[in-house]
Amino acid sequence: METTSSKPNTKDIDTHIVRAAIHPGIGVARVGNAKDDFFIGPEVSTPASAPQNFYRTPEGELKRQAARFRIFGYNKNGDVVKEITPDDATINWTVEVANAKANWFHFITAMDIPETKDLVVKPRNPTVKGSDREQLVIAPAPVTISGQSTKGNDYQFNGTFNSDVKNATDVNVYLGELQTDEQGRLLFLGGHGLSDSPSGKPPYDPENGDSFNNAADWYDDMSDGPVDASVIIDGKDIPVEGAWVVCTPPNYAPDIVSWRTMYDLMVDVYVDNGWMPVPETTSFTNDVLPQLKRLSNLQWVNKGFAAMFGSGAQMNFDDDTLIAKLSKKPSLINPDIDSFGELRNLLLNSFRPNQVEFNDPRLWPWLYGDDFGGNLFQSSPNTMLALPALQQLHLQRWAKGQFIDDWDPKATQATSIDDLELEQQPHELDKAAMHFCLADAFHPGCEMTWPMRHPGMYSAPFRIRRSHQKEKADKWGDSLNQQQALSLTGPLHAQPPGGLTRWMGLPWQGDTAYCRAGYDIEYDQFQPSFWPARVPNTILSEKDYELVMDKNIDRDARYAVFSRRVSWNRFIDKPLDNGDKPSIAQVMDRMIADFSAQGIIEARPGFKDDPDFPDVIYVENNGYSESDAKTLLQAAATLTKGSRAHKLDEAGWASEEQLQDAVKLRQRKPTKR
């Protein structure tokens, strides 16, 4: 069958389509409280920065991020022939999502590391037994949609939740909806970020440390599940490889890329599993420079990274002069002449090695690992994040001068999927969706957690292995240990709807509010951190940005303001009306109520060719009142510089009690078998 398309493959190939596939293989939607306004998630790994106020409505509400899916047709040789749209075929999209968090097990820590060999976790809502646990799973019916520019109430995912077997009243829960765009591509919009307890229970019980991120009688509106499509071209059914969608919390720093992304993690899994080859060469631009630039990228969400890797700092990996040195290979004429070989070697040795045998928080990256237990200097080598195997391989080759020196300071990158050739588009869609998701530390994380590093989760690269049978709510019994979790018949294989997000915290706002930085403020107020790329720690405020841009102010004073950072959590941490410091549960209550007002870190104009100030500056745009900000600044001004109270404030802790309570949350001990 011959086909035509507005976006055909320009190469001379067989144009007979024998199969199709949905891309991205795993799409990511994000919640927001705006009812109708939304934006489409990144479709390339280097998108242009959005304009000011893009992520909020004029009323200050937070927009949802929609996941967009496309269908590509392939010939028998595996070549991409075209993107298939309703202009070419009859297409029906079908999606099924669920939220199974309340029916899943307590999250304590990652269950696949040596330190958790004796970990045993209990189910959430343990008083609900047997088949009654079905009512803990929010499982709307599958939704089918077709056509172009289609939307409406008929395409919503509406389910129910009930944690009380004696109460016949179900709570209705909206998990999102489907739409199609003007080309007939699928749009999945998730929930509105709602978390609630039908009985009004607090989100955290201080008498039960395991209740943190495991709140009884709570639900939220995260979800995940399979995305399918039927395609008929000229009366013939074309087999279609399905995808998966995951609805996650907001991305509060949309342009900031984590030091290690979920895409990086998945590639490691696929290479280790033999699905992708070990790279034969190392590109400075593609394999080395991103590992360095991401350290500098984190300057906008953490003051410690700004001090070492930020604009004007000693290790500013956005500085073309420094990059030019790092990109130079040894002389071809005389290999003994290697002007920057020692610099490369020093940088390699600054990173924590892959097979680390001891804990040293001073090594790069300054990010917590899977086994951070509140004590920065504990013996576990998993206290801090180590170099993954592939990233270490590329850095080692680079340090030895065995790399391709392909850096071009004038090169441009694709900012739209339409900038790429058709055959490049499917993989870039797969990559972009995961590029803006986090890998490590899994406590549990922001979007997906530790099961994603196990090959049994996948049927192929970027394809979730599916369960084709309905999973009984009580299938896994009254406890789960490491051996059961990792077994061939365990839950890390074929996934039901809701299978990915069930491992995450409940409610989601607890994780976002309390995975912070600087748990040992006498060591450093700002370092190490969990994942500031999604959940900022310390940021440049709007007021400080205005001062930085005011050339009538003394330059040194402007740089001092530029170097100053304030806590991203300062509003949810502010004193109560009676002056008392808020408890963990009260901070979580505020985050649940006001998550949409928390600051979005957005791009603003800076200064061109200035040694201290970059040409793009990332600034907080929050939805709180000016009077709140003024009160917080006045309170901070009363603290004695260098005092314990001042350090606590700088680090973003509301009080000594809050810090100690947060440390205790990390020290939860697993139940012994």
Side-chain angles (χ1 to χ4, degrees):
M1 173 190 62
E2 300 293 323
T3 61
T4 59
S5 170
S6 59
K7 292 185 177 181
N9 193 319
T10 57
K11 295 180 179 179
D12 184 15
I13 63 167
D14 175 12
T15 59
H16 181 76
I17 294 175
V18 299
R19 66 178 182 88
I22 301 172
H23 292 273
I26 306 172
V28 177
R30 296 183 186 273
V31 298
N33 69 329
K35 181 180 178 182
D36 298 316
D37 290 357
F38 66 91
F39 62 95
I40 294 169
E43 296 185 308
V44 293
S45 55
T46 54
S49 295
Q52 185 174 341
N53 298 317
F54 174 81
Y55 296 101
R56 296 190 186 279
T57 66
E59 296 74 31
E61 295 173 322
L62 190 63
K63 298 177 185 177
R64 286 183 284 180
Q65 174 180 304
R68 179 158 64 180
F69 295 90
R70 306 169 187 233
I71 303 174
F72 290 85
Y74 293 80
N75 65 21
K76 64 182 180 181
N77 299 316
D79 300 314
V80 184
V81 175
K82 64 183 297 185
E83 179 185 350
I84 301 173
T85 71
D87 292 337
D88 318 301
T90 300
I91 299 173
N92 286 287
W93 297 92
T94 300
V95 180
E96 182 178 6
V97 296
N99 177 312
K101 285 186 178 185
N103 181 52
W104 200 235
F105 294 92
H106 281 186
F107 178 85
I108 304 297
T109 191
M111 298 184 71
D112 60 346
I113 57 178
E115 292 84 353
T116 56
K117 63 182 177 62
D118 294 321
L119 177 65
V120 178
V121 290
K122 298 177 180 179
R124 293 166 176 158
N125 297 291
T127 60
V128 183
K129 303 291 187 180
S131 61
D132 287 335
R133 295 189 65 84
E134 295 285 351
Q135 63 197 25
L136 299 174
V137 181
I138 306 167
V143 174
T144 297
I145 194 171
S146 61
Q148 295 159 295
S149 301
T150 306
K151 61 181 180 180
N153 293 339
D154 291 341
Y155 308 107
Q156 292 184 356
F157 296 93
N158 293 299
T160 61
F161 173 82
N162 191 340
S163 65
D164 186 353
V165 296
K166 298 178 182 179
N167 181 359
T169 303
D170 293 331
V171 176
N172 294 318
V173 184
Y174 166 84
L175 293 184
E177 62 188 81
L178 299 184
Q179 298 183 16
T180 61
D181 70 7
E182 60 273 15
Q183 283 82 35
R185 298 162 181 152
L186 178 69
L187 297 173
F188 176 90
L189 283 73
H192 291 297
L194 174 68
S195 300
D196 201 6
S197 167
S199 65
K201 287 187 177 180
Y204 172 66
D205 176 5
E207 300 300 317
N208 177 13
D210 283 356
S211 68
F212 180 69
N213 281 337
N214 299 300
D217 191 43
W218 274 79
Y219 67 89
D220 63 24
D221 58 4
M222 302 299 153
S223 66
D224 67 276
V227 176
D228 289 304
S230 66
V231 174
I232 300 175
I233 301 179
D234 293 340
K236 181 179 179 181
D237 284 321
I238 304 298
V240 182
E241 188 173 18
W244 204 270
V245 68
V246 184
C247 180
T248 74
N251 182 348
Y252 289 103
D255 290 349
I256 310 304
V257 179
S258 177
W259 182 77
R260 189 183 186 215
T261 69
M262 185 57 74
Y263 175 79
D264 296 334
L265 179 147
M266 289 182 176
V267 170
D268 278 349
V269 172
Y270 306 148
V271 170
D272 192 54
N273 200 45
W275 292 344
M276 288 183 175
V278 177
E280 295 182 358
T281 59
T282 290
S283 158
F284 175 77
T285 300
N286 298 322
D287 302 319
V288 175
L289 187 56
Q291 299 191 56
L292 304 176
K293 288 181 74 70
R294 289 176 191 173
L295 295 172
S296 293
N297 191 227
L298 293 176
Q299 68 179 292
W300 305 113
V301 287
N302 182 281
K303 185 174 180 176
F305 281 94
M308 175 63 83
F309 306 110
S311 183
Q314 294 301 308
M315 284 285 131
N316 178 13
F317 294 115
D318 289 326
D319 179 5
D320 283 357
T321 301
L322 176 58
I323 296 173
K325 295 176 182 178
L326 300 177
S327 67
K328 288 188 182 299
K329 289 187 66 172
S331 169
L332 292 175
I333 299 174
N334 185 353
D336 291 334
I337 300 176
D338 188 1
S339 303
F340 303 105
E342 178 58 12
L343 177 57
R344 297 196 305 271
N345 198 60
L346 286 171
L347 290 177
L348 168 65
N349 290 334
S350 296
F351 283 92
R352 190 171 296 102
N354 176 255
Q355 297 295 333
V356 63
E357 297 179 357
F358 57 90
N359 172 34
D360 187 345
R362 296 169 297 181
L363 295 174
W364 301 352
W366 299 328
L367 298 170
Y368 295 118
D370 288 331
D371 194 45
F372 173 62
N375 178 5
L376 185 57
F377 295 97
Q378 66 190 25
S379 60
S380 169
N382 285 318
T383 299
M384 300 292 295
L385 178 60
L387 271 171
L390 276 181
Q391 288 174 254
Q392 179 170 275
L393 174 64
H394 288 307
L395 288 178
Q396 288 173 334
R397 288 174 176 172
W398 170 68
K400 295 176 181 177
Q402 301 168 354
F403 65 96
I404 303 169
D405 52 347
D406 51 1
W407 181 64
D408 178 1
K410 297 181 181 179
T412 59
Q413 297 173 307
T415 58
S416 166
I417 194 67
D418 294 326
D419 295 339
L420 299 174
E421 296 295 329
L422 179 67
E423 56 267 29
Q424 298 174 306
Q425 292 180 11
H427 179 74
E428 184 63 19
L429 290 168
D430 292 344
K431 177 181 179 180
M434 296 297 97
H435 184 73
F436 291 93
C437 292
L438 296 172
D440 319 295
F442 289 128
H443 281 270
C446 283
E447 297 95 1
M448 296 161 276
T449 188
W450 62 270
M452 305 309 294
R453 58 188 174 203
H454 291 270
M457 294 288 291
Y458 307 95
S459 59
F462 309 106
R463 303 285 171 182
I464 298 299
R465 187 186 302 275
R466 301 182 181 194
S467 172
H468 295 289
Q469 296 179 342
K470 178 176 172 58
E471 185 175 288
K472 292 183 178 180
D474 60 345
K475 175 178 180 179
W476 304 103
D478 293 332
S479 66
L480 186 70
N481 61 43
Q482 186 186 80
Q483 183 179 359
Q484 294 166 328
L486 302 182
S487 71
L488 289 176
T489 57
L492 301 190
H493 294 276
Q495 298 301 303
L500 274 58
T501 51
R502 63 186 174 181
W503 298 91
M504 306 302 293
L506 176 65
W508 69 266
Q509 289 94 338
D511 210 32
T512 303
Y514 267 102
C515 283
R516 303 189 180 192
Y519 283 78
D520 186 340
I521 63 171
E522 295 304 326
Y523 171 77
D524 194 288
Q525 295 104 293
F526 313 105
Q527 296 294 338
S529 178
F530 271 104
W531 352 272
R534 292 289 73 76
V535 181
N537 305 140
T538 40
I539 50 82
L540 185 68
S541 69
E542 185 86 44
K543 281 288 186 182
D544 282 352
Y545 170 69
E546 293 172 359
L547 294 174
V548 168
M549 299 301 293
D550 187 349
K551 291 186 177 181
N552 294 317
I553 299 175
D554 175 77
R555 182 179 179 86
D556 288 344
R558 288 166 54 216
Y559 190 73
V561 171
F562 176 73
S563 302
R564 178 169 63 192
R565 297 290 193 269
V566 296
S567 170
W568 182 76
N569 290 298
R570 63 198 185 280
F571 296 102
I572 59 173
D573 281 346
K574 69 180 181 179
L576 304 175
D577 291 342
N578 63 5
D580 290 346
K581 302 296 185 181
S583 67
I584 288 177
Q586 288 168 327
V587 170
M588 290 175 65
D589 281 336
R590 284 174 171 173
M591 188 68 186
I592 290 164
D594 299 331
F595 79 88
S596 63
Q598 284 291 102
I600 301 293
I601 313 306
E602 61 183 24
R604 303 283 182 86
F607 297 94
K608 188 71 174 174
D609 299 324
D610 190 293
D612 295 322
F613 303 111
D615 56 352
V616 177
I617 297 176
Y618 288 89
V619 182
E620 180 194 51
N621 176 335
N622 68 64
Y624 293 99
S625 70
E626 192 63 35
S627 60
D628 278 341
K630 185 176 181 181
T631 300
L632 290 169
L633 285 173
Q634 290 171 339
T638 65
L639 300 174
T640 303
K641 186 173 177 60
S643 67
R644 178 83 177 176
H646 184 260
K647 289 180 179 180
L648 285 165
D649 182 74
E650 277 202 317
W653 298 106
S655 65
E656 184 72 44
E657 292 75 20
Q658 186 195 48
L659 171 57
Q660 297 308 319
D661 285 344
V663 169
K664 288 177 183 177
L665 292 177
R666 303 291 160 200
Q667 295 173 335
R668 288 179 292 171
K669 300 297 183 183
T671 302
K672 296 289 185 179
R673 278 190 255 180

